[in-house]
Amino acid sequence: DAGVIQSPRHEVTEMGQEVTLRCKPISGHDYLFWYRQTMMRGLELLIYFNNNVPIDDSGMPEDRFSAKMPNASFSTLKIQPSEPRDSAVYFCASSLDLHRDRQYEQYFGPGTRLTVT
Amino acid sequence: AQSVAQPEDQVNVAEGNPLTVKCTYSVSGNPYLFWYVQYPNRGLQFLLKYITGDNLVKGSYGFEAEFNKSQTSFHLKKPSALVSDSALYFCAVRDYGNNRLAFGKGNQVVVIP
């Protein structure tokens, strides 16, 4: 398996522009997580999905952020409009069903480094 | 809510010496505990986990961790550190019945040749 795939790996955009980050989870995984990593705040969970349904979006910072999972193999995180304080590394992670498979670890993608100027 | 604390910002160790990275946790129920490692410009990689059973768990790359319920700790250890172990290490905890992982702030490990 190729692991969790994220694109793009790097994104540089100007303030006010729309940014879309993409993620392909590991095939067969039921859960998908979006995280943001910054020096100041460390690793923060933004939102997670179970079987394509958003379960907990309490970590989404504000209405400028939105996430979708139209099918089991694809998810997007969109920021509109982007601001310089959104600059961070955004990670996608996936995992199996936490109780059915008793496999609780999450597998992370390589991340997208976003810079908003 | 569950949380973890990694008290040290950076751990320096000479190559060949034992490596310990500390983690303490706080949960309302039984803890599920994890260690992850992050190399520069990479995503987090799973190292090991404690769910139940033996308090000493072994993981990838020669790492192990000891679960201590009375001290609410889950310290990561390696008997002999390698230069290639230099990376950022994260401890994480999940409450039973909760699908969220709470990560610590991370510890930078520097192994000196």
Side-chain angles (χ1 to χ4, degrees), chain A residues 9 31 33 35 37 43 45 48 56 58-59 91 98-99 102-111 113, chain B residues 32 34 36 38 41-46 49 51-52 88 90 94 96-101 103-105:
Chain A
R9 292 294 310 275
Y31 285 81
F33 305 82
Y35 290 89
Q37 185 179 34
L43 198 62
L45 176 65
Y48 77 91
D56 185 348
S58 60
F91 289 104
L98 303 178
H99 296 293
R102 294 186 62 81
Q103 295 289 329
Y104 304 99
E105 56 268 32
Q106 298 175 14
Y107 293 88
F108 283 72
R113 183 174 296 277
Chain B
Y32 293 179
F34 306 83
Y36 285 81
Q38 184 180 27
N41 300 314
R42 302 283 296 275
L44 279 69
Q45 295 179 33
F46 169 74
K49 66 186 177 187
I51 304 299
T52 187
L88 190 57
F90 290 92
R94 187 176 80 87
Y96 179 81
N98 183 322
N99 295 327
R100 300 171 63 96
L101 276 183
F103 284 87
K105 63 180 176 59

Side-chain angles (χ1 to χ4, degrees), chain B residues 9-30:
Chain B
D9 288 333
Q10 182 164 311
V11 175
N12 296 324
V13 61
E15 186 177 23
N17 282 3
L19 169 63
T20 298
V21 188
K22 296 180 180 178
C23 173
T24 57
Y25 66 89
S26 174
V27 295
S28 56
N30 292 324

Side-chain angles (χ1 to χ4, degrees), chain A residues 6 9 16 23 28 34 37 42 44-45 49 51 53 58 62 64-65 78-80 103 106 112:
Chain A
Q6 291 187 248
R9 292 294 310 275
C23 175
W34 281 101
Q37 185 179 34
E44 304 171 278
L45 176 65
F49 296 82
N51 292 323
V53 177
S58 60
E62 49 198 274
R64 297 184 298 106
F65 286 69
K78 185 177 294 187
I79 308 173
Q80 167 63 19
Q103 295 289 329
Q106 298 175 14
T112 295

Side-chain angles (χ1 to χ4, degrees), chain A:
Chain A
D1 198 313
V4 176
I5 299 172
Q6 291 187 248
S7 65
R9 292 294 310 275
H10 301 273
E11 177 80 34
V12 180
T13 190
E14 292 184 347
M15 182 174 61
Q17 296 298 307
E18 178 180 295
V19 175
T20 299
L21 312 181
R22 297 172 176 79
C23 175
K24 176 178 169 55
I26 293 173
S27 177
H29 280 193
D30 302 289
Y31 285 81
L32 184 140
F33 305 82
W34 281 101
Y35 290 89
R36 177 172 67 178
Q37 185 179 34
T38 61
M39 289 292 292
M40 291 296 294
R41 294 187 297 271
L43 198 62
E44 304 171 278
L45 176 65
L46 300 177
I47 184 172
Y48 77 91
F49 296 82
N50 179 24
N51 292 323
N52 314 335
V53 177
I55 302 301
D56 185 348
D57 64 355
S58 60
M60 296 285 263
E62 49 198 274
D63 292 344
R64 297 184 298 106
F65 286 69
S66 63
K68 295 181 179 180
M69 192 165 186
N71 57 62
S73 59
F74 184 66
S75 177
T76 59
L77 178 67
K78 185 177 294 187
I79 308 173
Q80 167 63 19
S82 57
E83 297 183 1
R85 60 193 169 117
D86 301 331
S87 297
V89 181
Y90 290 82
F91 289 104
C92 176
S94 69
S95 71
L96 290 165
D97 183 277
L98 303 178
H99 296 293
R100 180 193 69 207
D101 302 297
R102 294 186 62 81
Q103 295 289 329
Y104 304 99
E105 56 268 32
Q106 298 175 14
Y107 293 88
F108 283 72
T112 295
R113 183 174 296 277
L114 173 65
T115 303
V116 183
T117 61

Side-chain angles (χ1 to χ4, degrees), chain B residues 9 108 110:
Chain B
D9 288 333
Q108 184 67 49
V110 177

